[in-house]
Amino acid sequence: MGASLAKQMRSPEPGTCMGWMAQKIMSSGSGVDSVDAVSALKLAVDAPTIVELGPGAGYAMRSMISSFSPSRFYGIEISDAFRESLSKDAEFKALIEKEVLSLHGDDAKDLSFITDNSVDLIFAHNVIYFLDPLDAYLKEAH
């Protein structure tokens, strides 16, 4: 059961008991750690372009949108279940319709759909242990 749950923690599979459990575990709480991480960020750019790797339940995404008023925000979320949940959220849905926010199911090893040198901030909170091999992700981010 442990290995199955660990796999689901990376990308909860919709319609499965273990996927549901993983999504509930990761969505539980208030997201205060994510919001605290965002509050520590200092950006000297107006209307930045932001990429978040693994927005999950959207706690940090919501905080960054509120704090920085990005011109563009890319949410890279490998989990279909979390992407679906984020796209149904009224605030996020409105930003998707305005083409400020886009949600992508791509693995963050390939961000070729984002113009090179156009990103002001890449944010990845509580995801580093899922990025394997880490050097491939770091190379793409650089």
Side-chain angles (χ1 to χ4, degrees), residues 100-141:
V100 170
L101 172 63
S102 56
L103 301 173
H104 302 267
D106 307 283
D107 191 304
K109 283 189 270 190
D110 179 13
L111 301 175
S112 59
F113 57 90
I114 300 173
T115 305
D116 286 349
N117 301 312
S118 67
V119 175
D120 301 298
L121 172 68
I122 297 175
F123 186 83
H125 183 66
N126 285 333
V127 297
I128 196 165
Y129 32 82
F130 296 125
L131 306 179
D132 186 32
L134 182 58
D135 61 331
Y137 292 90
L138 294 175
K139 181 179 178 186
E140 181 61 18

Side-chain angles (χ1 to χ4, degrees), residues 38-106:
V38 170
S39 71
L41 297 172
K42 304 295 182 233
L43 283 178
V45 177
D46 290 331
T49 296
I50 299 173
V51 174
E52 183 177 8
L53 307 182
Y59 299 121
M61 181 185 292
R62 191 175 313 281
S63 183
M64 283 187 280
I65 288 168
S66 173
S67 298
F68 304 123
S69 301
S71 60
R72 213 52 193 102
F73 196 112
Y74 298 92
I76 314 301
E77 178 54 65
I78 200 167
S79 165
D80 292 336
F82 275 122
R83 270 195 331 279
E84 181 179 333
S85 176
L86 292 168
S87 67
K88 289 181 179 178
D89 178 279
E91 179 184 354
F92 297 147
K93 188 174 185 174
L95 291 168
I96 291 167
E97 290 170 1
K98 291 179 184 176
E99 297 183 0
V100 170
L101 172 63
S102 56
L103 301 173
H104 302 267
D106 307 283

Side-chain angles (χ1 to χ4, degrees), residues 5-38:
L5 183 57
K7 179 182 176 204
Q8 292 293 329
M9 293 298 278
R10 180 174 195 269
S11 177
E13 194 175 330
T16 67
C17 180
M18 293 302 273
W20 175 86
M21 185 183 305
Q23 191 173 9
K24 290 297 179 188
I25 289 168
M26 290 189 285
S27 297
S28 66
S30 64
V32 71
D33 60 328
S34 297
V35 173
D36 284 349
V38 170

